[in-house]
Amino acid sequence: MSGDYSFDIVVVGAGIIGVATAYYLQRNNPSKTILLLDRLPAAGQANTAMSAAAVRNMFASSTNQLLTDTSIKYYQHIQEEIGHDLLFERCGYLWLLSDSQFNNVSIQNWMKRMEESNIHYRIYDKKQLKEMIPGLNVDFEGDDEAELMNLQQVDFGLFGGDCGVLDSTRLVEYYLQEFKKLSPVKPRFGISVEKLLLEANPKLDVPGEPFVWQKKKVNGVITNKGSIRAETVVLATGAWTNKLLDPIGMDGRTKAKKRHIFVLHAEDKSGLRDLLDTKGFCDLNTIPFTILPSAGVYFRPQLQERGFWIGCADKLGRCFNYIQTEDYEHPESTYYENSIYPVLVKYFPSFEGARPVGSWAGGYSYSPDAIPFVYKENGILVLDGASGSGIMKADAMARIANALYRGEAEAELYGGKKVPADMLSQNERKVEVESVII
Ligand SMILES: Cc1cc2nc3c(=O)[nH]c(=O)nc-3n(C[C@H](O)[C@H](O)[C@H](O)COP(=O)(O)OP(=O)(O)OC[C@H]3O[C@@H](n4cnc5c(N)ncnc54)[C@H](O)[C@@H]3O)c2cc1C
């Protein structure tokens, strides 16, 4: 460690992205001292814990396909070869689509791109879907209410069998435990970073520094428990990143949006039990993570609890914020009752009368193209903008961050695929716009 630094690296934020990054940095730079810190009492307690923890490689952009496909394969490796059970269950993803949605050019391009990238998927027609999921309502002919609600009928199902769900807490545990085995520095919790320490580089020790004509660099963080100096600051602060970048004049280019999950149990309703135990899609004999054709409503099976987690990718009408606010912690029960439930019950009448036994809410951090940012500038390494899919991209993002830290031109993702280390940067971005966001 050089100069007056206390650590070589301080990683701010111990969500899935922070713990994975701390691990790769320590593994590849064993002589460096790395402090991992978070303001919460433990790792993975913020949006990582709020996620549906579903993982899919079915994206439209080749960038997201690559980030997720390699990360998911690594998670599979953790579970199957390393033996750390992530409760990774390959239930698949099923998009239910109307004829006009299926034949829309963006869906056709999406399928073409998946084929080019060797992402496997299957198409089911309406008749097959009805046979496999008898409780699915595919047709709204003559249903005025459905017409009023703009509900599209079901003509096709697009199914990805390599996708699934896992337990995000266990994934956090894995990276954290591996980091702790390698790092001489214990992670610290309950420490909140209030400001980035931007200084002149080099310092002249003149009052009023840094002046506009000086080079500048972030040399650490100011926390509620004092200053911590570090040569490199890693910001893995998700939907709160702008709060730290804005005051020093850096534009994070992300924005936050609130998202919900509602928990429903299947056991006391035979129709829901049958739906949960749908056969034919995967070896687990369960219904896949399913996205309805209308209103952005989706559900994932929850096999340990024998139920469903219901969510909604609401777009127009739900505000963006520059950072996640406290309101995000409070789920809105009327949102389930008035927005989600009426749609759910039209497609799956077995949900009739089903009320949530639990709910929570959190935030997405969106980038403008729905592809994450990983960049190193002014002494800070920023990982943000996972756009609602940070669990499934965390491994690849962390490996890219490590390559940037080391000044390497390429990052090696799991499985050996090499990518330019600056591909997710703000200025040298080599990505397409993602269109398949849930
Ligand atoms: C309802 C919902 C459903 C989702 N479903 C999925 C899904 O199915 N699949 C998927 O891949 N993704 C999903 N996501 C998105 C996923 O949860 C995020 O992309 C992912 O958790 C981002 O990880 P992170 O480490 O950046 O953020 P976080 O887990 O939010 O971690 C950021 C950490 O930074 C800390 N922090 C912030 N500011 C400071 C500060 N100033 N000082 C100290 N610490 C600070 C916070 O305490 C927090 O622990 C979902 C999100 C929500 C809300």
Side-chain angles (χ1 to χ4, degrees):
M1 200 169 9
S2 57
D4 57 347
Y5 295 120
S6 326
F7 300 98
D8 292 302
I9 304 173
V10 58
V11 178
V12 185
I16 185 58
I17 291 175
V19 290
T21 305
Y23 166 62
Y24 283 113
L25 287 173
Q26 192 70 80
R27 189 175 93 174
N28 293 293
N29 308 280
S31 65
K32 302 289 179 187
T33 51
I34 303 178
L35 171 66
L36 171 67
L37 67 83
D38 201 290
R39 63 183 169 202
L40 294 178
Q45 300 292 298
N47 287 320
T48 296
M50 302 305 140
S51 78
V55 298
R56 63 175 161 116
N57 53 6
M58 296 176 77
F59 280 90
S61 67
S62 49
T63 312
N64 273 342
Q65 287 170 356
L66 190 64
L67 298 177
T68 53
D69 196 48
T70 56
S71 298
I72 294 169
K73 288 193 170 116
Y74 186 64
Y75 302 157
Q76 204 175 330
H77 166 75
I78 296 174
Q79 175 155 300
E80 288 167 14
E81 283 150 61
I82 298 179
H84 184 100
D85 190 2
L86 300 174
L87 296 178
F88 180 17
E89 292 152 348
R90 275 220 228 185
C91 56
Y93 259 62
L94 177 67
W95 268 267
L96 299 174
L97 300 164
S98 68
D99 192 48
S100 66
Q101 287 172 326
F102 183 78
N103 287 305
N104 184 285
V105 66
S106 70
I107 301 273
Q108 292 295 319
N109 282 342
W110 171 28
M111 291 193 284
K112 195 162 147 254
R113 284 235 178 95
M114 289 199 287
E115 271 157 41
E116 285 163 2
S117 310
N118 246 337
I119 308 273
H120 306 295
Y121 68 87
R122 245 180 289 158
I123 296 167
Y124 292 101
D125 64 24
K126 185 189 209 149
K127 187 164 164 281
Q128 291 168 312
L129 288 169
K130 196 64 200 157
E131 275 164 17
M132 293 168 84
I133 320 173
L136 169 65
N137 205 354
V138 291
D139 213 330
F140 297 121
E141 190 74 43
D143 183 338
D144 295 343
E145 222 174 40
E147 198 184 331
L148 178 82
M149 291 167 68
N150 302 303
L151 300 188
Q152 307 244 10
Q153 64 175 40
V154 179
D155 294 299
F156 292 98
L158 190 61
F159 175 74
D162 292 330
C163 313
V165 295
L166 50 76
D167 184 324
S168 58
T169 307
R170 290 191 183 208
L171 190 59
V172 168
E173 250 168 43
Y174 169 77
Y175 285 114
L176 185 64
Q177 140 199 320
E178 295 306 304
F179 168 70
K180 279 161 89 181
K181 278 186 204 161
L182 301 173
S183 172
V185 183
K186 269 178 77 173
R188 289 190 203 158
F189 295 101
I191 298 191
S192 182
V193 170
E194 288 166 355
K195 244 176 113 178
L196 297 172
L197 198 56
L198 184 73
E199 293 179 335
N201 185 32
K203 277 200 318 192
L204 300 175
D205 286 327
V206 177
E209 282 186 287
F211 303 112
V212 285
W213 41 266
Q214 285 180 297
K215 286 188 181 158
K216 301 165 196 72
K217 177 180 171 297
V218 170
N219 279 326
V221 292
I222 299 171
T223 79
N224 58 340
K225 303 207 171 142
S227 299
I228 301 171
R229 297 187 67 81
E231 192 167 30
T232 302
V233 172
V234 177
L235 280 193
T237 40
W240 296 274
T241 302
N242 290 334
K243 194 168 179 192
L244 295 174
L245 288 181
D246 277 17
I248 63 159
M250 278 180 69
D251 184 357
R253 298 194 208 166
T254 55
K255 46 194 181 179
K257 192 178 260 220
K258 185 174 180 180
R259 282 289 163 87
H260 289 76
I261 300 280
F262 297 92
V263 180
L264 298 182
H265 281 170
E267 273 313 281
D268 41 359
K269 272 181 153 272
S270 68
L272 289 184
R273 281 200 300 272
D274 293 346
L275 179 62
L276 187 65
D277 296 332
T278 298
K279 301 198 177 23
F281 285 104
C282 64
D283 295 343
L284 294 162
N285 282 328
T286 190
I287 187 84
F289 185 109
T290 301
I291 303 102
L292 307 189
S294 306
V297 175
Y298 67 79
F299 61 78
R300 72 157 261 186
Q302 220 300 341
L303 296 179
Q304 289 76 42
E305 291 169 13
R306 297 274 309 148
F308 302 91
W309 288 2
I310 321 281
C312 183
D314 46 1
K315 298 202 165 92
L316 196 64
R318 171 76 62 184
C319 72
F320 285 112
N321 300 101
Y322 113 96
I323 57 161
Q324 179 163 342
T325 60
E326 277 181 19
D327 156 69
Y328 282 40
E329 289 166 26
H330 307 292
E332 302 148 24
S333 59
T334 52
Y335 180 57
Y336 173 80
E337 284 150 24
N338 302 335
S339 285
I340 294 179
Y341 175 76
V343 178
L344 193 60
V345 95
K346 279 280 177 201
Y347 287 98
F348 293 95
S350 48
F351 281 102
E352 182 80 51
R355 290 285 169 266
V357 292
S359 59
W360 60 82
Y364 277 18
S365 175
Y366 280 101
S367 69
D369 45 26
I371 310 260
F373 284 122
V374 183
Y375 53 92
K376 186 163 184 272
E377 276 172 33
N378 311 318
I380 334 178
L381 219 170
V382 182
L383 299 95
D384 189 21
S387 307
S389 39
I391 309 293
M392 53 185 117
K393 292 172 188 158
D395 190 76
M397 287 173 68
R399 288 173 193 252
I400 291 172
N402 170 63
L404 282 179
Y405 172 75
R406 294 172 59 77
E408 291 166 354
E410 288 186 324
E412 189 171 323
L413 305 183
Y414 182 67
K417 173 92 185 161
K418 293 198 170 153
V419 295
D422 62 0
M423 71 183 274
L424 302 178
S425 67
Q426 287 200 345
N427 300 327
E428 305 296 328
R429 220 157 162 67
K430 299 168 184 70
V431 302
E432 303 126 6
V433 174
E434 178 58 58
S435 56
V436 186
I437 313 157
I438 301 173

